[in-house]
Amino acid sequence: MKKLVGYAAVFWDGSPGSEYRLGPDAVERIMPSAFDSSLNGPDDIAAAWNHNMDFLLGSRSAGTLKLSKDAKGLRYEIDFDETDPHHQSVMAKVKRGDVPGSSFSFAIVRENVRRDKGIFIRELFDVRLYELGPVWRPAYSGTSANARSDAKYGSVRWGMENPAECIEFDQRQARLKEIESQQVRDRLWELTRQ
């Protein structure tokens, strides 16, 4: 059976691809405990293309989305439906290599914000996971999106293992347009003062 597989989130391991730059002096890091309550809880979680729920790819409640955690991060498998035009479209993009990674939507349950060498560091220890899936511009470049049709995960690699520096630069620029860096600094400063 064909599947869309990938890592929607990667845990902080010291590499640049395992943190998300919120601004010039602020980063976000996901801790290994971040998804435990969501993985073990009753909430439904959806898979969608590019965070668009009009392009639903699977759900945990229907059994078409399977989630797991390993040392690298949060892994997903979406059962491929060849009769669904959205699945066909996303699979084609992944196979061509147009889709290098994945992302997730969440609400923070527990975090720690600290300052180290002039950088604000936001560590996510527990989040409520809502949705995940393949995206064109992942916030965390260490994520992945792949297609496979056999039993061995990752045997056919269609996405990029390590996106080029220019792609990482584009990702940072796109995210900075979404989030005003001054607002991020102000909010992180507030959190460190509490």
Side-chain angles (χ1 to χ4, degrees), residues 140-152:
Y140 288 82
S141 62
T143 62
S144 62
N146 305 282
R148 73 170 171 92
S149 59
D150 63 5
K152 186 177 178 189

Side-chain angles (χ1 to χ4, degrees), residues 7 13 17 65 68-69 76 80 82 84-85 92 101 113 117 121 126 142 149 166 180 183:
Y7 281 91
D13 65 6
L65 169 65
S68 61
K69 175 183 113 167
Y76 68 86
F80 178 69
E82 58 189 34
D84 185 330
V113 178
K117 298 176 185 169
I121 301 170
D126 188 11
S149 59
C166 61
E180 292 291 330
Q183 290 175 333

Side-chain angles (χ1 to χ4, degrees), residues 42-64:
D43 292 346
D44 196 10
I45 297 164
W49 158 243
N50 241 5
H51 299 300
N52 186 340
M53 294 307 292
D54 290 335
F55 290 85
L56 184 67
L57 301 173
S59 68
R60 187 160 74 165
S61 62
T64 53

Side-chain angles (χ1 to χ4, degrees), residues 34-190:
F35 301 105
D36 291 351
S37 57
S38 290
L39 290 173
N40 298 317
D43 292 346
D44 196 10
I45 297 164
W49 158 243
N50 241 5
H51 299 300
N52 186 340
M53 294 307 292
D54 290 335
F55 290 85
L56 184 67
L57 301 173
S59 68
R60 187 160 74 165
S61 62
T64 53
L65 169 65
K66 292 167 189 63
L67 301 171
S68 61
K69 175 183 113 167
D70 61 21
K72 181 176 180 176
L74 178 65
R75 184 177 178 272
Y76 68 86
E77 288 189 11
I78 304 166
D79 293 340
F80 178 69
D81 180 354
E82 58 189 34
T83 66
D84 185 330
H86 297 314
H87 279 240
Q88 294 168 7
S89 174
V90 173
M91 183 68 87
K93 291 171 179 63
V94 169
K95 284 184 175 180
R96 284 196 314 254
D98 296 332
V99 179
S102 299
S103 188
F104 64 104
S105 299
F106 64 98
I108 296 170
V109 176
R110 188 167 64 92
E111 68 180 349
N112 179 53
V113 178
R114 59 188 173 87
R115 193 170 181 146
D116 184 23
K117 298 176 185 169
I119 300 291
F120 287 104
I121 301 170
R122 174 196 234 175
E123 298 168 317
L124 303 178
F125 285 93
D126 188 11
V127 302
R128 185 172 183 189
L129 181 63
Y130 296 119
E131 171 270 333
L132 53 77
V135 296
W136 176 53
R137 284 195 168 170
Y140 288 82
S141 62
T143 62
S144 62
N146 305 282
R148 73 170 171 92
S149 59
D150 63 5
K152 186 177 178 189
Y153 171 67
S155 62
V156 180
R157 176 74 185 171
W158 297 101
M160 288 182 274
E161 194 64 44
N162 294 304
E165 286 183 1
C166 61
I167 293 174
E168 290 180 29
F169 176 79
D170 287 347
Q171 292 166 359
R172 285 194 298 271
Q173 294 303 102
R175 283 295 278 206
L176 288 173
K177 288 177 186 173
E178 294 174 28
I179 302 170
E180 292 291 330
S181 55
Q182 186 60 48
Q183 290 175 333
V184 170
R185 283 195 296 277
D186 292 346
R187 177 67 179 133
L188 291 173
W189 179 250
E190 270 178 44

